[in-house]
Amino acid sequence: MNDATVNRLTLFNFWVAFGAFGLACFFGMYQVLERSGLFTFLQSPAAYFASVSTHGVLMAFVLTTFFIMGFGYHTAARSLRRPLWNPPLAWAGYGVCVVGVALAAIPLLLGKASVLYTFYPPIQANVFFYLGATLLVVGSWFWCVIMLVMFAQWKRDRPGETVPLPMFATAANALLWLWTSAGVALESVFQLLPWALGLTDTIDVGLARTLFAWTLHPIVYFWLIPAYIALYCYVPQAAGGKLFSDLLARTAFVLILVLGLPIGFHHLYMDPEQGAGWKFLHMVGTFAVAIPTLLTGFTVIASLEMAGRKRGGAGLFGWIGALPWKNPMVLAAILSLLMLVLGGFGGIVNASYAMNAMVHNTAWVPGHFHLIFAGTVITMYLAVAYKLWPELCGRRLYSVDLALVQLWGWFIGMVIMTTPWHILGLLGQPRRISAVQYNSVLTLSWEPYELAMIAGGSILLASACLFVYLLYKTQTAGEKVDAREDAAADSNHGAPAWLNGFALWNRLILVLMVLSYGYPILQFFLLKTHSPTAWGY
Ligand code: HAS
Ligand code: CU
């Protein structure tokens, strides 16, 4: 009974996630066409910015949040082997999130919330957009509570035992999200909503950007952790081996949680409202947070190497060829790691305070995050869907071959689309621009790259449609099987207490957050600089 509830909950969350994903790809396609300037009838800055805002919100907030919730419910029930705690609360959270998305969608589609997914003031959206976004966050907190309660109950019932790795990481993500979302929640409740409602007529954009930065960096790790769960807990088995080290994996999740939070100012290097010393401090933390990703690369590749050798691969690289490339989970991991090399390299360039001046607000930045988020992270979400759909629907995956074609397509399309963005950024193209109407030597030099973007975008759209089609066909026409599998990667290792709970880490996060955000936020109330003028006057 409870099993069926969990499956239904996961499936309902996943359909919203992947429905949003499919839709957002159409907006993306329109954007590359519009920007190329080739199709004059498509050119409209108003339509472009409505589209890019909707695309960003759907991909970054709707796809991710619903996927993470669905995956979390499944992981908790399966890996802890206990019923879901409080299903009505889970459905209520789902409902709040869906209402939030619907509320935000109306102004977005009407062009009344063309504020991009970062909604930085002083550009203002219709109040329903802020309300909808806030409800999406509030609904996701229900999920966090359920994950943490299940984590705590399991530990209470089994003192001294080690929490299975997938649930340890899921609980870390729930905690991370509670800490992370506090920044944007404060911005929304105390600044954006009163301003959009007309209760206040000024807004302190420096404070708003600081609070958003609090959320903006760790939110990317909220998206990343489920991908890492798949890399650690599904990929080694799928490749025919086992995880190289459970303790290294736990260490990586703890480091992401602790180091990912206090470093948001690397999004504000070029902003005037924070001092250079604070930015420098956040830069040091940003370099430190690359360590858990390096640990992850090492551990996952070591696991793959062990699997490849077990399958008969010899020599320095022979194990790579011996891996089961025709297994969607393994193929996804390989492609995902390849994109992480360049996407991570771009991140390190961004993070370097001085070099950030070269790439900030250029097309390089969307190049970076499409490669690492839409590439590395989403590829793993797709692989998880291929793995779980049969289990959720009791039907065999409609076509493994098509799934492989789809994953290759997503990889090839992403590389074709993001390489030009990196180059365009270095050529000085600003990010977030619609078609340029003028012909200078500079803008003419952008043109060949704009064409490559259309090619990349088309492959991506085709791949996304194939993905949604495969899920649909699996659910409706897949051969019926009993595909229930037990939890992946149960770990029997005796992890030390500090890698089996979060009490210590929570305290450390509190100290780090006070150190890195305390004064930078207080200064807005302590320093009497100038009184802001009302926007629009
Ligand atoms: Fe980022 C901007 C720095 C990771 C997402 N980032 C963004 C934005 C997004 C985003 C969405 O410091 C735009 C925000 C906006 O709209 O304004 N980012 C970093 C750094 C990392 C990083 C240092 N970002 C991510 C991840 C994301 C993401 C993950 C999404 C999920 N990012 C920045 C900065 C900015 C920024 C600045 C602001 C830019 C600006 O000016 O606006 C690091 O975590 C990256 C660490 C990764 C590595 C790579 C290691 C490679 C490995 C692979 C090994 C594989 C091999 C191949 C060898 C160091 C582990 C194996 C092959 C086989 C065949 C098996
Ligand atoms: Cu960041």
Side-chain angles (χ1 to χ4, degrees):
M1 172 59 197
N2 196 284
D3 246 17
T5 309
V6 175
N7 281 354
R8 209 168 32 248
L9 201 53
T10 303
L11 212 52
F12 269 61
N13 275 285
F14 277 7
W15 268 123
V16 177
F18 294 125
F21 166 72
L23 190 64
C25 286
F26 281 92
F27 286 107
M29 187 69 221
Y30 162 72
Q31 287 151 217
V32 290
L33 291 174
E34 202 271 358
R35 280 182 55 175
S36 72
L38 284 179
F39 309 92
T40 37
F41 65 98
L42 289 178
Q43 278 178 27
S44 152
Y48 179 81
F49 286 106
S51 172
V52 82
S53 302
T54 312
H55 171 84
V57 168
L58 285 177
M59 291 295 200
F61 303 142
V62 182
L63 159 63
T64 50
T65 309
F66 282 90
F67 176 84
I68 293 166
M69 293 194 298
F71 190 35
Y73 290 131
H74 180 270
T75 304
R78 285 283 192 283
S79 71
L80 299 182
R81 298 204 172 89
R82 62 190 298 143
L84 187 70
W85 178 72
N86 208 335
L89 191 68
W91 284 112
Y94 177 78
V96 173
C97 289
V98 170
V99 170
V101 171
L103 278 187
I106 299 166
L108 272 170
L109 294 173
L110 293 175
K112 303 271 182 233
S114 298
V115 290
L116 308 168
Y117 82 106
T118 41
F119 45 88
Y120 288 128
I123 332 174
Q124 197 182 53
N126 177 283
V127 66
F128 284 105
F129 172 78
Y130 300 124
L131 203 60
T134 307
L135 286 181
L136 177 59
V137 172
V138 171
S140 69
W141 288 343
F142 291 36
W143 171 84
C144 293
V145 170
I146 295 171
M147 294 301 102
L148 293 174
V149 167
M150 288 183 72
F151 179 83
Q153 286 179 338
W154 191 93
K155 282 189 70 172
R156 186 199 56 206
D157 294 348
R158 306 168 82 143
E161 285 187 46
T162 301
V163 181
L165 178 60
M167 191 56 197
F168 179 75
T170 304
N173 209 16
L175 260 181
L176 175 77
W177 182 233
L178 287 174
W179 276 103
T180 306
S181 50
V184 75
L186 290 171
E187 182 198 1
S188 190
V189 172
F190 292 107
Q191 293 195 279
L192 299 173
L193 280 168
W195 177 56
L197 284 168
L199 302 175
T200 54
D201 50 14
T202 61
I203 186 157
D204 189 332
V205 295
L207 176 60
R209 288 177 67 90
T210 302
L211 289 173
F212 196 78
W214 165 332
T215 298
L216 183 55
H217 189 72
I219 199 177
V220 313
Y221 292 133
F222 174 58
W223 307 332
L224 183 71
I225 283 181
Y228 280 8
I229 295 178
L231 284 177
Y232 283 118
C233 304
Y234 289 152
V235 171
Q237 281 82 356
K242 65 183 185 56
L243 181 60
F244 174 71
S245 164
D246 176 86
L247 292 184
L248 273 182
R250 280 168 207 269
T251 309
F253 286 117
V254 165
L255 287 178
I256 289 179
L257 169 64
V258 175
L259 298 175
L261 274 153
I263 61 176
F265 285 8
H266 62 235
H267 294 277
L268 303 181
Y269 286 148
M270 299 300 128
D271 275 35
E273 73 274 7
Q274 296 297 346
W278 294 106
K279 293 172 183 170
F280 189 87
L281 185 76
H282 284 234
M283 178 188 73
V284 174
T286 305
F287 284 122
V289 84
I291 296 170
T293 290
L294 291 167
L295 273 183
T296 301
F298 172 81
T299 312
V300 175
I301 294 173
S303 312
L304 286 175
E305 178 178 348
M306 287 186 338
R309 294 200 185 283
K310 214 168 122 195
R311 297 169 65 91
L316 200 53
F317 296 115
W319 58 271
I320 298 179
L323 289 172
W325 287 67
K326 291 202 177 321
N327 179 310
M329 185 60 74
V330 176
L331 176 68
I334 295 171
L335 301 178
S336 201
L337 285 170
L338 284 173
M339 290 186 276
L340 187 58
V341 179
L342 273 178
F345 165 77
I348 299 295
V349 171
N350 298 342
S352 310
Y353 194 167
M355 275 198 276
N356 184 264
M358 179 174 71
V359 295
H360 182 63
N361 271 349
T362 72
W364 170 283
V365 175
H368 158 66
F369 71 73
H370 277 76
L371 201 52
I372 204 163
F373 170 61
T376 302
V377 170
I378 298 303
T379 300
M380 293 315 297
Y381 285 16
L382 304 180
V384 167
Y386 287 139
K387 176 167 169 57
L388 295 192
W389 228 258
E391 207 180 310
L392 298 175
C393 308
R395 289 171 186 268
R396 201 185 296 283
L397 187 62
Y398 185 65
S399 163
V400 174
D401 285 344
L402 282 179
L404 297 172
V405 170
Q406 188 274 318
L407 289 169
W408 274 111
W410 192 251
F411 171 72
I412 294 167
M414 201 54 81
V415 171
I416 295 181
M417 194 176 70
T418 55
T419 308
W421 278 345
H422 283 92
I423 301 172
L424 279 169
L426 297 177
L427 284 174
Q429 186 185 71
R431 67 185 284 201
R432 300 175 152 168
I433 49 162
S434 69
V436 283
Q437 313 288 346
Y438 41 90
N439 290 326
S440 67
V441 178
L442 178 67
T443 58
L444 287 173
S445 73
W446 296 344
E447 275 182 4
Y449 302 101
E450 303 274 355
L451 294 182
M453 277 157 48
I454 298 186
S458 312
I459 300 173
L460 287 169
L461 179 61
S463 166
C465 291
L466 181 56
F467 171 73
V468 175
Y469 170 78
L470 278 174
L471 296 190
Y472 174 75
K473 281 303 247 188
T474 302
Q475 195 164 339
T476 52
E479 183 192 335
K480 288 205 168 152
V481 281
D482 180 16
R484 196 200 139 121
E485 276 183 42
D486 255 329
D490 266 15
S491 52
N492 308 313
H493 301 256
W498 52 278
L499 287 179
N500 198 33
F502 301 99
L504 168 67
W505 306 122
N506 257 329
R507 287 187 200 114
L508 185 58
I509 291 171
L510 181 65
V511 173
L512 291 176
M513 287 302 276
V514 169
L515 277 179
S516 55
Y517 278 97
Y519 184 74
I521 290 180
L522 274 181
Q523 63 157 346
F524 291 101
F525 303 96
L526 298 178
L527 294 179
K528 290 274 168 276
T529 46
H530 61 90
S531 51
T533 42
W535 180 250
Y537 285 76

